[in-house]
Amino acid sequence: MRWIAALVLALVVSGCAKYPSSSAGRTTRLVFTMTTDGHFRTGLGPGESGLPYIYIVALKLNTDENPTTDGPFPVVQPGGNGFVAGGCTHYILWNPLASPQYQIWQFNDATLNQSFYVGAPVNYQTLGDNDKTMSFEVDLSQLVPAGQVDTIKSVQVNFLTMNNQNVSGGGRLWDALGDSTVTTQINSPFLVRLRANQTFTNANQGTLEPRGDCPDPDLDLTDWSVEVRLP
């Protein structure tokens, strides 16, 4: 995947954006927020390389409330597709060089090496170079056909940050849910059940993601939330 080359359309200014959606077609929605200790690096700031850091929300949709299969994991050493491993069906990428900045992708192979562009979230917060919290909203009918939405009972979620998407070489800096300095916590996707309106946060889930487990503040996740909004 060469998402930067394929989808660089325009630089966009900071503000709010919304894609129209009719209430008649609305299904269950998920609202995601992610906060870093520094800021979301566009690559265009002073001393930056011209390419943005990678910020992704990775998802695995399940027809079981209690899946026994893996959820999305970070790629710690460059390899594979360069950013996500484990079980993953979709991911939302923040790309400040594209318009809109948020892009929904769906994997179409079990090896996670092939994916296709689905569209943009129904609502999203456009970010500038100094912003440190992103927020966007996805309708499940964007991820599966509307007739299949009711079969999705849970979603495994991980928030992934990294300084590059290289598939080889070294120099990888990254963060994800869990304490990245503790080996047993590296693969810690969060399970979201879709049975009721509710909001999961870093605070009410026992601070799953600590501050300071990544040396680069622009990659260091400090807060997150997932809100379930039933139709």
Side-chain angles (χ1 to χ4, degrees):
M1 288 174 292
R2 293 294 181 267
W3 50 268
I4 294 178
L7 289 173
V8 172
L9 301 177
L11 284 173
V12 291
V13 297
S14 180
C16 294
K18 180 180 290 187
Y19 272 40
S21 59
S22 66
S23 58
R26 183 191 182 285
T27 68
T28 297
R29 291 190 174 179
L30 298 172
V31 182
F32 302 91
T33 68
M34 174 168 57
T35 300
T36 63
D37 195 32
H39 67 279
F40 291 99
R41 190 180 294 199
T42 64
L44 303 176
E48 297 181 7
S49 67
L51 295 177
Y53 275 178
I54 313 299
Y55 302 92
I56 285 173
V57 177
L59 312 175
K60 181 176 180 290
L61 276 58
N62 304 293
T63 57
D64 189 340
E65 273 199 351
N66 299 292
T68 58
T69 52
D70 289 336
F73 298 156
V75 172
V76 177
Q77 298 294 332
N81 59 32
F83 62 97
V84 68
C88 188
T89 58
H90 300 76
Y91 63 96
I92 299 91
L93 168 73
W94 177 72
N95 179 2
L97 305 182
S99 179
Q101 288 187 347
Y102 298 86
Q103 306 151 5
I104 304 171
W105 293 80
Q106 180 174 344
F107 285 109
N108 57 7
D109 74 319
T111 64
L112 305 185
N113 284 319
Q114 297 180 14
S115 61
F116 59 92
Y117 178 65
V118 173
V122 290
N123 294 304
Y124 53 86
Q125 179 73 38
T126 301
L127 303 182
D129 193 54
N130 293 318
D131 291 319
K132 60 190 305 177
T133 298
M134 68 166 57
S135 177
F136 60 89
E137 181 177 353
V138 174
D139 195 285
L140 282 188
S141 65
Q142 297 181 279
L143 308 180
V144 296
Q148 297 179 21
V149 166
D150 289 343
T151 69
I152 305 302
K153 304 300 183 183
S154 67
V155 182
Q156 288 157 286
V157 180
N158 212 333
F159 296 86
L160 309 176
T161 70
M162 61 206 72
N163 60 338
N164 61 61
Q165 193 186 338
N166 295 343
V167 298
S168 63
R172 170 62 53 86
L173 295 175
W174 63 277
D175 202 4
L177 290 182
D179 188 336
S180 63
T181 66
V182 178
T183 303
T184 56
Q185 293 188 31
I186 289 177
N187 299 334
S188 300
F190 183 73
L191 179 64
V192 177
R193 296 182 179 89
L194 306 180
R195 64 178 70 163
N197 292 308
Q198 54 192 321
T199 301
F200 305 94
T201 71
N202 197 40
N204 68 26
Q205 297 304 311
T207 314
L208 177 61
E209 174 52 37
R211 182 189 300 267
D213 60 334
C214 177
D216 189 329
D218 295 341
L219 297 174
D220 186 20
L221 295 170
T222 59
D223 203 9
W224 61 272
S225 69
V226 182
E227 180 183 357
V228 179
R229 295 179 179 174
L230 300 183

